[in-house]
Amino acid sequence: MDVKLEPSWDDLPLMANTSHILVKHYVLDLDVDFESQIFEGTIVLFFESRNRLEKQSDSTKETCRSESNEACRFSTPEPCHSPVTDTRTSSSKTGYNDFAICGKGEKDTSGKDGNHDNPEQASGISSSKYCCDTGNHGSEDFLLVLDCCDLSVFKVEEVDVAAVPGIETFTGSPQITFVSEELRNQIVHELVTLPADRWREQFDYFAHCSQAPGCGELLFDTDTWSLQIRKTGAQTATDFPHAIRIWYSTKPQGRSVTWTSDQSGRPCVYTMGSPINNRALFPCQEPPVAMSTWQATVGAAASFVVLMSGENSAKPTQLREGRASWHYYVTMPMPASTFTIAVGSWAEMKPEICLSEDLAAERSLTPSEADFRCVGVCGHMEYPCRFQNPSATTQEVIPHRVFAPVCLQGACQETLLPLVLPCLSAAHSVLGTHPFSRLDILVVPANFPSLGMARYLAPHEAWEQQELKADLRWRCLQDEVRNYPEEMQVLRPNKEKTGHVSDSGSSVIKHGLNPEKVFMQVHYLKGYFLLRFLAQRLGDDTYFAFLRKFVHTFHGQLILSQDFLQMLLENIPEGKRLDLSVENIFRDWLESSGIPQPLQTERQARAECGLARRVGAEVHKWIRVNRRPQKRKRRETEDVFEKLLPDQLVLLLEHLLEQKTLNPRTLQSLERTYQLSQQDAEVRHRWCELIVKHKYTKAYKDVERFLQEDQAMGIYLYGELMVSEDARQQQVARRCFELTKEQMDRSSAQVVAEMLF
């Protein structure tokens, strides 16, 4: 490595040498095994070197000195130069029947090729140093570094893309008589740079190439965070094979996916937004600069549904009795972290009333509509862009499917399904063209490591409701600022705090592995108030018009904060800018800890909204009820309580949490009045806090239910149960943890275990 990274215990290293070579396309071919809790199969990566004009050094110079250097544990495979032969023999499960490949997950049984001389190295725990280089320095071999952990890598080989029938069209010759590394790389270059209007042809060739035979094993090794691959004699990224196949399997303890049960008790697995993203699901390049497309075929038992973040609505293809495969693809280049998968016995929810074809079905587009080239209009790299498709730009509701566990079918049909269409329509009215052609919505298991989705805030929602939400978030932000270290509250740390980015592209994410970071909301809350602050300066109409313009300008691109702010300030009339500048906003909101000064000033000056004032009146009623003696005069009138919105209930309970004591009779009346145990998770969370604070033993069952059914939000409750030093409450915490710890994601379980033991 050109830079030795020594991250602290909670920093996340990004190891891929993206400055030298980029993955342009992934082809995954995996089987899911619930009994072993693994994905197993192959991934083929198609590369483009960052500098294709880089010239190869004198062909007569010395090859990799590491062959005679004891410090390098790689050895030499056979050379990969061969005349073309017809290798078509049988069909594969993906339906591309030109090539036969080895059995899925077949291990390297030779044991003599020297790919790894220690069994532990293939399991991702080695941390050896190499004499090979990640760049182009001296006469050492080029070293490809991929982000990877918790994977068992069995074999890495170069793919003979020149053996694909018809591939000679990419060589400029009527036929191929002799194959060299340079020719193979030229074929891949021509393939990955095909224009957008030929994407279907491109993806077909990607699929065929992924099934092509191997033409020589490559040397590889692994350490905790990376997979390193080289080919003897390939001294630059340009010389390195541009199509490689990796045979591997995930591990049950891998941190990119969660193996669990859904709310119906049926097994399922899903990507859950892990801090390490997808590197424990497949070897990849993690830095966002590595934008790529992908296609994936996943085999599973026929009783399971496979969902992925693809652009097509996949249907199962029968493989053999009891097995089926699902195929998805993405034509928009995106970071590898955006790849998602969920496999389970989901039921698809369908609207009871048939919608029109435009809204409910994925309409088959004619070639003239679907295949178009975005040249000279959009700012992103070339791909089949919906923003240039007239029918897509006017499509308010994109095709969508809704899936849920069987036991939640009724609730989803009644509650969730009616919200999908208006939400999609509202998103289109505010932001314009939907960037994706379709959408799958899945009700995830209870152990999903998220604090929950914020309630939908429509741009035209009543002003008072918006102000009430702001009040709640303000209270939450104050708590977050008190509870977390200052350095973790900064939205945009300076370079000294984010870690060094090496010449190869490797870097570290500060505190990226801190388990508590998963539960922090301070960044989202500060971001919310910054956008709110800016919207107030511009006015709603100007602000939402700007958002639409921004999405249209920057869709399909990586965005920096300064891009957003610079464009926003350009849309603010001179008279409203006052002291606003990109530098001031960065200083006050993004680069400082604590509550931004402009926000403190605004909160001190504002008046309480009507909805919040009505909550205040209800709080006073409950305080009066709590102070009344147990034996009351018969003539004394009962208090009449208003019906409250869910957000008002949250605010009411937060105010009551500030009371030193609430007696059991008051708490019982409170629950009966508002049916608190039947409310949404935000309300029930505050209700459980009241139960814990006042040791209301009759409602401990509500706390236990919350800890088991709303696991991510329940993290805070574990702390409150333990801090109370009440033996019965601590028993509740330990009992619930024992019941749920095997289903919890690793970060949640680690944080709770530290609280309990």
Side-chain angles (χ1 to χ4, degrees):
M1 286 277 182
D2 52 345
V3 171
K4 184 178 181 181
L5 300 174
E6 295 183 345
S8 64
W9 70 273
D10 66 347
D11 292 343
L12 175 63
L14 303 179
M15 306 297 287
N17 51 340
T18 53
S19 295
H20 301 142
I21 192 167
L22 287 176
V23 179
K24 304 301 291 183
H25 189 77
Y26 297 93
V27 179
L28 294 97
D29 193 1
L30 302 174
D31 277 328
V32 57
D33 184 342
F34 276 95
E35 185 175 345
S36 301
Q37 294 192 340
I38 62 170
F39 287 89
E40 187 172 24
T42 64
I43 181 170
V44 177
L45 298 84
F46 296 87
F47 298 99
E48 181 84 320
S49 61
R50 295 295 294 265
N51 183 8
R52 293 204 77 255
L53 298 177
E54 182 180 33
K55 298 296 183 180
Q56 190 173 19
S57 301
D58 183 8
S59 61
T60 61
K61 75 179 180 179
E62 184 182 7
T63 58
C64 183
R65 293 169 185 163
S66 61
E67 291 178 2
S68 59
N69 188 333
E70 293 180 0
C72 187
R73 293 178 288 104
F74 291 116
S75 71
T76 310
E78 296 181 2
C80 186
H81 293 270
S82 60
V84 174
T85 57
D86 189 354
T87 55
R88 284 174 284 178
T89 54
S90 63
S91 62
S92 69
K93 77 173 187 178
T94 56
Y96 300 100
N97 57 3
D98 294 298
F99 304 102
I101 60 174
C102 300
K104 191 176 302 299
E106 179 184 359
K107 296 187 179 181
D108 178 13
T109 58
S110 67
K112 297 184 178 68
D113 289 336
N115 288 355
H116 40 79
D117 63 357
N118 185 332
E120 291 181 341
Q121 292 170 11
S123 58
I125 60 175
S126 168
S127 59
S128 59
K129 301 295 183 290
Y130 300 92
C131 67
C132 303
D133 217 349
T134 61
N136 177 25
H137 310 288
S139 60
E140 296 170 344
D141 287 343
F142 171 77
L143 187 67
L144 170 68
V145 182
L146 299 174
D147 292 299
C148 145
C149 73
D150 300 330
L151 295 179
S152 295
V153 178
F154 307 132
K155 182 169 66 174
V156 181
E157 63 183 355
E158 181 177 359
V159 177
D160 189 7
V161 295
V164 174
I167 204 72
E168 62 273 3
T169 59
F170 296 105
T171 68
S173 302
Q175 67 179 58
I176 301 173
T177 57
F178 185 80
V179 179
S180 66
E181 190 72 70
E182 184 179 1
L183 179 65
R184 290 191 183 92
N185 288 353
Q186 178 64 27
I187 290 172
V188 173
H189 168 70
E190 296 295 333
L191 181 55
V192 300
T193 56
L194 277 178
D197 59 357
R198 295 175 64 184
W199 72 267
R200 296 182 191 275
E201 176 189 4
Q202 181 187 49
F203 274 51
D204 282 344
Y205 272 109
F206 278 139
H208 285 290
C209 286
S210 72
Q211 299 295 314
C215 61
E217 293 191 29
L218 301 176
L219 310 170
F220 72 91
D221 209 338
T222 58
D223 61 23
T224 304
W225 292 110
S226 68
L227 168 64
Q228 300 119 14
I229 305 168
R230 80 168 175 87
K231 179 177 180 178
T232 302
Q235 297 175 5
T236 68
T238 303
D239 302 331
F240 188 81
H242 282 26
I244 66 171
R245 180 185 294 114
I246 301 171
W247 303 76
Y248 77 100
S249 74
T250 63
K251 297 181 179 180
Q253 70 272 24
R255 288 167 282 174
S256 291
V257 298
T258 292
W259 300 86
T260 186
S261 299
D262 65 17
Q263 291 86 337
S264 296
R266 300 180 177 184
C268 63
V269 61
Y270 63 94
T271 46
M272 74 292 190
S274 165
I276 67 168
N277 292 323
N278 287 319
R279 65 179 72 184
L281 180 58
F282 59 92
C284 59
Q285 291 181 329
E286 275 288 314
V289 68
M291 307 269 278
S292 58
T293 54
W294 59 262
Q295 57 198 109
T297 301
V298 177
S303 59
F304 288 102
V305 173
V306 178
L307 303 176
M308 300 178 71
S309 50
E311 296 173 5
N312 58 311
S313 296
K315 301 293 183 183
T317 299
Q318 193 72 29
L319 295 177
R320 58 184 184 274
E321 187 175 355
R323 299 288 295 179
S325 70
W326 302 68
H327 182 77
Y328 290 89
Y329 62 83
V330 160
T331 62
M332 178 193 295
M334 291 187 289
S337 58
T338 61
F339 179 99
T340 61
I341 185 171
V343 185
S345 299
W346 324 117
E348 183 177 357
M349 309 291 102
K350 296 188 177 180
E352 295 177 356
I353 302 175
C354 292
L355 302 172
S356 67
E357 278 192 13
D358 287 342
L359 299 183
E362 186 167 3
R363 183 168 59 91
S364 297
L365 301 177
T366 66
S368 61
E369 290 179 308
D371 294 334
F372 45 87
R373 186 172 183 176
C374 47
V375 177
V377 177
C378 300
H380 53 70
M381 63 181 71
E382 191 177 2
Y383 67 85
C385 177
R386 285 174 53 81
F387 282 74
Q388 301 212 10
N389 185 335
S391 62
T393 58
T394 58
Q395 189 178 27
E396 291 187 14
V397 178
I398 56 176
H400 55 275
R401 303 182 298 185
V402 179
F403 295 86
V406 175
C407 67
L408 296 180
Q409 277 185 276
C412 288
Q413 199 81 34
E414 179 182 347
T415 306
L416 177 60
L417 217 54
L419 298 176
V420 177
L421 266 67
C423 285
L424 289 172
S425 180
H428 182 271
S429 68
V430 175
L431 301 177
T433 306
H434 292 285
F436 304 106
S437 58
R438 55 173 292 279
L439 176 69
D440 278 341
I441 300 170
L442 172 66
V443 178
V444 295
N447 68 340
F448 187 80
S450 167
L451 290 172
M453 301 297 287
R455 292 188 186 92
Y456 178 67
L457 178 59
H460 304 298
E461 188 176 32
W463 175 84
E464 284 195 340
Q465 285 182 266
Q466 294 187 34
E467 291 301 302
L468 180 60
K469 291 179 189 295
D471 287 344
L472 292 173
R473 292 187 172 102
W474 167 248
R475 296 170 71 92
C476 186
L477 178 59
Q478 290 176 307
D479 289 340
E480 292 271 313
V481 167
R482 284 193 295 266
N483 292 334
Y484 287 101
E486 289 188 0
E487 66 171 343
M488 295 181 69
Q489 299 176 22
V490 179
L491 272 70
R492 184 182 175 272
N494 57 40
K495 288 186 178 181
E496 287 72 26
K497 294 182 180 179
T498 56
H500 179 74
V501 178
S502 76
D503 292 339
S504 71
S506 60
S507 62
V508 295
I509 299 175
K510 298 295 288 183
H511 309 298
L513 294 176
N514 189 320
E516 292 188 11
K517 192 174 182 179
V518 177
F519 310 105
M520 285 183 60
Q521 299 182 74
V522 63
H523 305 103
Y524 302 102
L525 292 167
K526 289 175 74 172
Y528 161 79
F529 279 111
L530 171 58
L531 294 179
R532 193 171 185 272
F533 168 77
L534 294 171
Q536 290 172 340
R537 281 292 185 96
L538 271 72
D540 283 353
D541 291 342
T542 303
Y543 178 69
F544 287 117
F546 158 74
L547 286 183
R548 191 183 185 100
K549 179 180 178 181
F550 180 80
V551 170
H552 188 273
T553 302
F554 287 104
H555 69 275
Q557 302 174 62
L558 294 176
I559 305 301
L560 299 175
S561 301
Q562 51 262 45
D563 296 327
F564 177 86
L565 294 173
Q566 188 62 50
M567 185 174 177
L568 177 68
L569 293 179
E570 291 171 356
N571 283 266
I572 298 181
E574 195 68 37
K576 291 187 177 181
R577 286 193 194 180
L578 301 177
D579 58 343
L580 280 184
S581 68
V582 173
E583 294 75 18
N584 290 346
I585 293 172
F586 271 63
R587 182 195 64 214
D588 296 339
W589 292 85
L590 306 182
E591 295 177 344
S592 60
S593 60
I595 296 176
Q597 186 58 49
L599 177 57
Q600 293 189 48
T601 303
E602 185 264 335
R603 300 303 297 182
Q604 291 168 359
R606 67 181 295 279
E608 194 175 42
C609 71
L611 290 176
R613 284 197 298 272
R614 284 193 282 278
V615 171
E618 299 304 294
V619 171
H620 289 302
K621 292 179 185 178
W622 283 108
I623 293 174
R624 285 200 306 270
V625 168
N626 190 58
R627 289 174 178 170
R628 286 173 183 161
Q630 192 165 359
K631 293 183 179 180
R632 299 167 47 203
K633 297 178 181 179
R634 292 184 178 179
R635 295 181 180 179
E636 193 171 351
T637 58
E638 293 282 344
D639 281 298
V640 178
F641 297 100
E642 286 191 30
K643 184 177 181 180
L644 300 178
L645 298 169
D647 284 332
Q648 289 179 299
L649 279 176
V650 172
L651 188 57
L652 170 71
L653 297 177
E654 288 193 351
H655 281 301
L656 292 179
L657 277 166
E658 296 169 359
Q659 298 300 306
K660 188 174 181 179
T661 58
L662 292 178
N663 60 56
R665 178 171 41 85
T666 301
L667 292 169
Q668 183 181 41
S669 179
L670 192 68
E671 202 287 324
R672 287 177 177 174
T673 300
Y674 303 114
Q675 297 291 303
L676 294 176
S677 62
Q678 305 303 315
Q679 295 288 343
D680 66 26
E682 292 279 358
V683 175
R684 288 187 289 110
H685 183 234
R686 274 34 172 227
W687 168 232
C688 289
E689 287 183 287
L690 275 177
I691 295 169
V692 172
K693 177 176 180 177
H694 300 291
K695 299 180 174 60
Y696 183 41
T697 57
K698 288 185 178 180
Y700 278 3
K701 64 181 184 302
D702 291 342
V703 176
E704 294 184 12
R705 175 195 164 202
F706 192 88
L707 292 177
Q708 294 176 57
E709 295 183 4
D710 300 273
Q711 293 175 19
M713 294 183 70
I715 300 297
Y716 294 110
L717 278 183
Y718 279 108
E720 292 166 12
L721 288 166
M722 298 306 293
V723 168
S724 70
E725 297 185 351
D726 178 88
R728 187 168 177 183
Q729 289 192 358
Q730 292 182 348
Q731 185 181 16
V732 168
R734 292 192 174 99
R735 182 169 61 249
C736 289
F737 183 61
E738 285 299 317
L739 291 171
T740 58
K741 66 180 181 181
E742 296 302 324
Q743 297 180 337
M744 281 185 175
D745 72 286
R746 186 175 299 187
S747 294
S748 300
Q750 181 179 339
V751 170
V752 174
E754 289 174 357
M755 294 178 185
L756 302 187
F757 306 107

